[in-house]
Amino acid sequence: MLKIALLINSNSLNNIESEFLNLAHQSDYYSVELLIIQINQAKESHAKPRANFFNLLLLKLFDYIKVLDRLYTKNYSLLKNSREITSIQSLKIPHVIIKESSQLNTAFLSEAELVKVKKQEIDLIASCYFTNAKNNFHLCTKTGLVEISYDANLNLGFANQPIGFREVQEKNKITSFEILHNKERLSQSTSYAKGSIATVFPFILNKYRVERKAMFFLHHYIQKLSISNASPQSTLPSSNSDRPSLRSIYESINSPPSFLSLIKYLYIFTLHGLKASYRKLLQSHGKWSVGFIRNNKNWKDINFSEMNVIPNPSGHFLADPFLFSLGQLDYCFVEDYSFTTQKGSIKAYLLDGSAIIDQGTVLDEPFHLSYPNIFKVDEDIFMIPETAENKDIRIYRSDNFPSEWVLHKQLMTDISAADTHIFSYQDRWWMFTNIDSSDIGDHCSELHIFYADAFDSSSWEPHSQNPVITSSLQARNGGCVIDESGLFRAFQVQDYNFYGKSIGVAKINILNPDEYSESVVHSICPDFIPNIQGTHHLHCKDKMVAIDFFSNS
């Protein structure tokens, strides 16, 4: 078991650091044996009173914005405990304080502090934030420092921005993070994981989501480090040059952005508030719809403006279409979402030429269902709908197609997974699924792969590189493409504060228990019919194609 020292910047742990400590307590692979407190860099004593007054004004304005953000997100349970702090006095963990230094971005332990740390036989120092500090940690640990860098830390134009702020202000599609292992100097830092989540409004929600996601990746990296007894092999290019001389994240983690940035954010906040009020007044929540087209062309050349649209039932929307043929009959299975119950069920339609015949609800549960992935094994027909709300991955079997389905088996339990796809390839069954590993309600940024000898196996082995993709621009499954020329995967592309902006199609180049690679070969933007804003699911099978699309009207 690895012995870890947690690097913090005050006499208390914030919520993210406390959650990391909880994960460490639950881990069989590492434990936190010491706290190292890095005092903030000394401020210039000759600062002008006028400048101090302006800084105070910025702090007050920033605090006001955070209050507005919390009011905007008052119904988000995710942020309920995000402001909680834990005093180190309440923890039975010894601590060492790094004394202040006049030298910018340094974190050097004194001789006495080094002796104290060495007595704890610390293997690794970990930080939930980016220190950007030259240090001598390698003198008292076996493997140096592991820390989290965020996009704002390395962007020179926004060096003083809080985590997740710039991405909201600039309406970026993604908010990024990186796990760095610093063996001795910053120039020797190696990147072992990079990831991104979709940027969401407001800032405090975006900040907490990316911090929590990155903290879980830090936890998993340290566990892998312990299991392997060596640094896990990085698949990312390492940096051989010194990083920019930015302020330490500890100095700017709670510092306000510039005055102009805060004013711009207030403008963005006002626009979001007005749009939300307008939608509430008109009871307008937008809707997904499904269309299909019979196709003799290559699926890359389809003109979706010619599709037949399946009418949405009143008070409902349809999404996630999957096509299935039995004999001479063609069916389309969809998610049927009710605005009244705020829950999805599975509905089927018979596609008879140009006629669309409603087969009714074929599967309903007390929890939300969507993504009705249907496949055939021998003479039996099975469905794996999304059941993330029920914390499992389950298979249903058709007893009387298409209307009667019974639970066949739970493949996994106690897991928050969405849009699961199962298929046979090279004498194995493969499962592609999107897991919310950090419990932030995000199923869009991680693609996980499992494999087994049978489609309904009780023992699915995880891919050694899980998650094989960590990006909200490519991870989320978005249907499938069946093509004899190769193995393809359809995926969703997320946008700023928008779920399901467009569709991508990737060709899978390598798939085995230890390797995975794919190349994007096609994309579909929401421009094939007027007045639509998004599209997030594609299913191509034989001579038919189904797609969904989003409209605010």
Side-chain angles (χ1 to χ4, degrees):
M1 177 180 283
L2 287 179
K3 292 184 177 181
I4 303 295
L6 179 61
L7 180 65
I8 59 177
N9 77 311
S10 71
N11 288 323
S12 60
L13 279 69
N14 65 24
N15 180 264
I16 296 297
E17 292 165 332
S18 295
E19 282 291 322
F20 177 80
L21 201 60
N22 289 335
L23 290 174
H25 287 325
Q26 299 167 20
S27 176
D28 295 327
Y29 300 102
Y30 73 97
S31 62
V32 175
E33 302 290 334
L34 180 71
L35 299 176
I36 299 179
I37 305 172
Q38 179 185 347
I39 300 296
N40 286 338
Q41 302 287 340
K43 294 183 179 179
E44 294 183 13
S45 59
H46 59 275
K48 298 179 181 179
R50 186 174 181 180
N52 289 336
F53 172 78
F54 185 70
N55 288 339
L56 182 62
L57 180 64
L58 285 180
L59 283 171
K60 292 293 184 182
L61 182 56
F62 192 37
D63 287 343
Y64 173 69
I65 283 175
K66 286 187 282 189
V67 169
L68 289 178
D69 276 5
R70 293 194 178 277
L71 289 173
Y72 190 93
T73 58
K74 62 182 179 181
N75 294 325
Y76 283 81
S77 59
L78 179 65
L79 292 175
K80 184 178 180 181
N81 302 317
S82 63
R83 288 187 291 178
E84 289 185 355
I85 60 173
T86 303
S87 169
I88 63 170
Q89 306 303 326
S90 65
L91 303 172
K92 296 180 180 179
I93 303 175
H95 64 271
V96 170
I97 298 176
I98 301 178
K99 294 182 173 60
E100 290 189 73
S101 171
S102 59
Q103 187 177 354
L104 182 66
N105 290 349
T106 59
F108 291 106
L109 291 161
S110 67
E111 289 297 326
E113 292 160 353
L114 284 171
V115 170
K116 188 172 182 179
V117 175
K118 286 179 179 179
K119 284 183 179 180
Q120 298 293 327
E121 298 182 332
I122 297 299
D123 296 300
L124 180 73
I125 296 175
S127 172
C128 294
Y129 298 96
F130 182 54
T131 62
N132 192 37
K134 293 183 178 180
N135 60 76
N136 59 352
F137 296 155
H138 64 286
L139 297 178
C140 59
T141 67
K142 297 176 183 178
T143 50
L145 168 70
V146 176
E147 57 189 343
I148 303 172
S149 170
Y150 297 90
D151 182 66
N153 302 145
L154 300 180
N155 190 306
L156 288 172
F158 298 88
N160 300 334
Q161 301 281 29
I163 296 166
F165 185 88
R166 177 184 68 86
E167 292 85 351
V168 175
Q169 178 187 319
E170 300 299 315
K171 297 185 178 181
N172 284 6
K173 291 182 178 181
I174 59 173
T175 301
S176 304
F177 65 90
E178 185 175 0
I179 307 299
L180 297 173
H181 193 160
N182 173 9
K183 299 290 182 63
E184 183 172 349
R185 288 168 40 84
L186 289 178
S187 59
Q188 296 175 337
S189 291
T190 304
S191 175
Y192 283 94
K194 290 183 179 181
S196 69
I197 63 171
T199 302
V200 297
F201 181 86
F203 145 67
I204 60 164
L205 181 60
N206 194 51
K207 176 179 184 292
Y208 185 72
R209 277 164 46 93
V210 73
E211 285 180 336
R212 188 172 171 87
K213 173 72 74 174
M215 180 268 294
F216 269 79
F217 269 72
L218 176 67
H219 163 70
H220 290 308
Y221 171 71
I222 295 174
Q223 293 209 132
K224 286 185 177 180
L225 198 66
S226 177
I227 294 169
S228 65
N229 292 317
S231 299
Q233 186 65 35
S234 173
T235 58
L236 302 171
S238 60
S239 172
N240 293 318
S241 58
D242 287 322
R243 293 180 179 272
S245 181
L246 307 179
R247 294 168 62 185
S248 166
I249 187 60
Y250 283 132
E251 188 178 359
S252 61
I253 186 172
N254 292 314
S255 300
S258 69
F259 180 75
L260 288 178
S261 293
L262 292 174
I263 295 302
K264 182 177 180 179
Y265 184 83
L266 283 173
Y267 173 73
I268 294 171
F269 186 96
T270 302
L271 289 181
H272 274 276
L274 289 174
K275 288 179 181 178
S277 299
Y278 179 76
R279 287 194 299 267
K280 186 176 182 180
L281 181 65
L282 296 183
Q283 295 185 336
S284 172
H285 26 54
K287 62 183 180 182
W288 289 92
S289 301
V290 167
F292 70 94
I293 187 169
R294 298 185 185 277
N295 168 52
N296 290 318
K297 302 177 182 178
N298 184 292
W299 52 268
K300 296 180 184 178
D301 302 321
I302 296 172
N303 181 1
F304 286 107
S305 65
E306 300 173 352
M307 67 182 172
N308 297 299
V309 176
I310 301 176
N312 280 344
S314 178
H316 294 237
F317 72 62
L318 305 179
D320 295 352
F322 277 93
L323 300 164
F324 190 84
S325 298
L326 186 63
Q328 300 299 313
L329 300 178
D330 299 321
Y331 295 88
C332 184
F333 289 77
V334 296
E335 170 196 351
D336 176 17
Y337 182 87
S338 167
F339 290 115
T340 302
T341 63
Q342 297 186 346
K343 183 179 75 70
S345 58
I346 305 303
K347 181 185 277 286
Y349 289 89
L350 173 63
L351 309 179
D352 186 7
S354 60
I356 302 169
I357 305 171
D358 188 351
Q359 304 294 290
T361 299
V362 299
L363 183 60
D364 195 11
E365 293 282 11
F367 44 86
H368 176 76
L369 298 174
S370 61
Y371 204 82
N373 179 23
I374 295 184
F375 59 99
K376 193 173 183 180
V377 180
D378 298 326
E379 297 304 314
D380 290 321
I381 302 171
F382 297 92
M383 180 198 300
I384 302 185
E386 178 203 313
T387 55
E389 188 176 305
N390 199 48
K391 298 288 186 180
D392 68 357
I393 299 175
R394 50 173 55 195
I395 294 183
Y396 291 84
R397 186 186 71 250
S398 174
D399 265 6
N400 183 20
F401 188 86
S403 59
E404 295 180 15
W405 298 79
V406 295
L407 180 62
H408 177 70
K409 196 172 188 179
Q410 284 181 299
L411 302 185
M412 295 185 184
T413 58
D414 194 28
I415 185 172
S416 181
D419 296 359
T420 300
H421 194 73
I422 285 182
F423 60 95
S424 177
Y425 176 70
Q426 291 186 348
D427 300 322
R428 283 190 177 98
W429 282 88
W430 297 89
M431 176 192 292
F432 283 36
T433 192
N434 301 114
I435 296 176
D436 177 19
S437 65
S438 52
D439 197 25
I440 60 173
D442 168 45
H443 294 97
C444 295
S445 61
E446 296 179 39
L447 176 63
H448 291 251
I449 296 177
F450 299 84
Y451 58 93
D453 293 331
F455 75 96
D456 56 355
S457 172
S458 299
S459 178
W460 288 83
E461 293 293 328
H463 195 283
S464 66
Q465 300 301 315
N466 274 344
V468 296
I469 296 176
T470 309
S471 170
S472 58
L473 300 179
Q474 197 168 334
R476 180 78 179 246
N477 289 329
C480 65
V481 175
I482 299 174
D483 190 320
E484 293 180 356
S485 66
L487 194 60
F488 296 86
R489 184 180 75 92
F491 61 86
Q492 299 179 17
V493 179
Q494 313 306 328
D495 202 354
Y496 166 74
N497 213 45
F498 191 98
Y499 166 70
K501 182 63 176 180
S502 61
I503 298 170
V505 178
K507 185 174 183 179
I508 298 174
N509 303 314
I510 302 174
L511 175 58
N512 61 53
D514 298 307
E515 298 174 290
Y516 180 78
S517 74
E518 64 179 35
S519 303
V520 179
V521 296
H522 190 59
S523 61
I524 302 173
C525 296
D527 57 5
F528 43 86
I529 59 175
N531 302 319
I532 63 172
Q533 290 77 46
T535 179
H536 78 346
H537 186 100
L538 175 74
H539 189 206
C540 303
K541 187 178 187 300
D542 300 326
K543 298 298 181 181
M544 292 186 66
V545 179
I547 195 169
D548 65 8
F549 53 92
F550 180 84
S551 172
N552 281 319
S553 58

